[in-house]
Amino acid sequence: MLWPGTLIGAGAGFFIASIPGAMLGALLGQALDRRLQLHSWAHLLERIGARPVLRNDELLFVLLGRLAKSAGRVTDRHIEQARLEMRQLDMAPAAQKRAIAAFNRGKSGSDSLRGYLLRLKAQPHAAEGVLRACWRMILADGQAAPQQRELVVLWGGWLGWPRQRVLALGGEHGARQKPLATRSGTYQQSLMLLGVSDASDPEQIKRAYRRLLSRHHPDKVAGTGAGPAQVREATEKTRELHQAYALIRERRGF
């Protein structure tokens, strides 16, 4: 990993006082790196431009925002998945605001992420958690676009994961998804899930969807004192409802 302050300090010190100057400059530069958390040239450029360096929780949502946008358009299901990630992390209101800002920042695609991920490589559990969250975001829309898959493979490489291992992790998450209301499911299954029929008008379908979403919302379930397993079930149910409603809307054209 390149520490910009250390390298700049060593170079400047060598120019001024040869090897002793380089050693002193490197020590001073290292102190600056640690104080400003400069672990890549991209971070140095961010500091020069007065752009804040990303925290670990912000990094996650920048990645999720970039993945969502890389498919071409950020959908409601992408946004809901980001909210589910916030809830699973039990984020306080202030942290949620930072996460939302980071998600929007990720959509711009302007951050250099390599240095951040190389640093995270030293934390294997955190690295795996990030990759799992990335796959959940990719699959929130029902299928992985090629550009999304290549992005997460690239990031996995920076985190020390070989390509096949990253793809296998995606397959593991894909297998967990129930195909009830995806394109491989059926329109009739989606209607049954929402408790409506083909004769129901759009407003009836919307009301049924919102009612069920409110009933099974993970926040509401968690508020009743339910355990982690029940919250996960509610999260999966919410995903199914989103997929069913999206399929019905596409089929009915509203």
Side-chain angles (χ1 to χ4, degrees):
M1 184 179 296
L2 296 177
W3 300 92
T6 303
L7 293 176
I8 292 173
F14 183 82
F15 180 77
I16 294 171
S18 191
I19 293 176
M23 294 175 64
L24 178 60
L27 288 173
L28 293 174
Q30 187 178 59
L32 183 66
D33 284 329
R34 290 175 177 172
R35 182 174 183 81
L36 298 181
Q37 298 182 358
L38 299 176
H39 45 83
S40 72
W41 292 106
H43 285 181
L44 178 60
L45 293 175
E46 286 174 357
R47 286 297 191 186
I48 293 173
R51 193 171 195 186
V53 172
L54 295 169
R55 300 156 47 121
N56 276 357
D57 56 345
E58 293 171 329
L59 170 61
L60 171 61
F61 287 92
V62 165
L63 294 170
L64 298 182
R66 183 168 296 185
L67 279 172
K69 182 65 175 177
S70 68
R73 183 175 68 89
V74 178
T75 68
D76 290 342
R77 278 174 281 179
H78 289 136
I79 294 171
E80 180 59 27
Q81 183 60 42
R83 290 172 178 160
L84 289 175
E85 297 295 338
M86 293 179 208
R87 287 193 286 270
Q88 288 179 0
L89 292 170
D90 196 23
M91 286 184 155
Q96 289 184 27
K97 288 182 180 179
R98 289 197 302 271
I100 292 169
F103 185 82
N104 291 329
R105 177 172 168 175
K107 290 190 294 184
S108 71
S110 59
D111 285 283
S112 175
L113 301 172
R114 186 172 185 271
Y116 291 107
L117 293 173
L118 286 174
R119 186 182 184 189
L120 194 62
K121 181 180 178 181
Q123 304 173 49
H125 292 297
E128 181 175 348
V130 163
L131 290 175
R132 288 187 180 277
C134 285
W135 276 114
R136 288 194 293 269
M137 176 58 70
I138 289 173
L139 296 169
D141 213 24
Q143 58 185 353
Q147 56 268 40
Q148 292 176 313
R149 189 182 298 110
E150 290 308 312
L151 263 182
V152 77
V153 165
L154 174 66
W155 297 340
W158 291 341
L159 290 169
W161 282 51
R163 179 184 182 88
Q164 289 307 314
R165 189 182 175 197
V166 176
L167 294 175
L169 187 66
E172 176 187 329
H173 279 276
R176 290 178 183 174
Q177 286 196 320
K178 298 179 182 178
L180 180 62
T182 62
R183 293 181 183 274
S184 59
T186 71
Y187 174 61
Q188 289 300 325
Q189 285 177 315
S190 299
L191 292 172
M192 289 173 61
L193 181 63
L194 296 189
V196 295
S197 72
D198 192 44
S200 301
D201 63 45
E203 286 305 315
Q204 289 175 315
I205 295 171
K206 289 177 184 178
R207 285 196 297 270
Y209 166 66
R210 290 168 182 163
R211 182 176 64 252
L212 288 168
L213 203 60
S214 175
R215 181 187 305 168
H216 297 287
H217 200 285
D219 283 350
K220 188 170 185 178
V221 172
T224 64
Q230 291 170 297
V231 173
R232 282 195 296 272
E233 288 178 7
T235 300
E236 183 60 29
K237 184 71 172 181
T238 298
R239 190 195 307 276
E240 291 176 6
L241 291 170
H242 285 315
Q243 291 175 337
Y245 183 60
L247 186 62
I248 294 170
R249 286 187 62 188
E250 180 179 347
R251 178 72 170 268
R252 296 280 296 272
F254 65 86

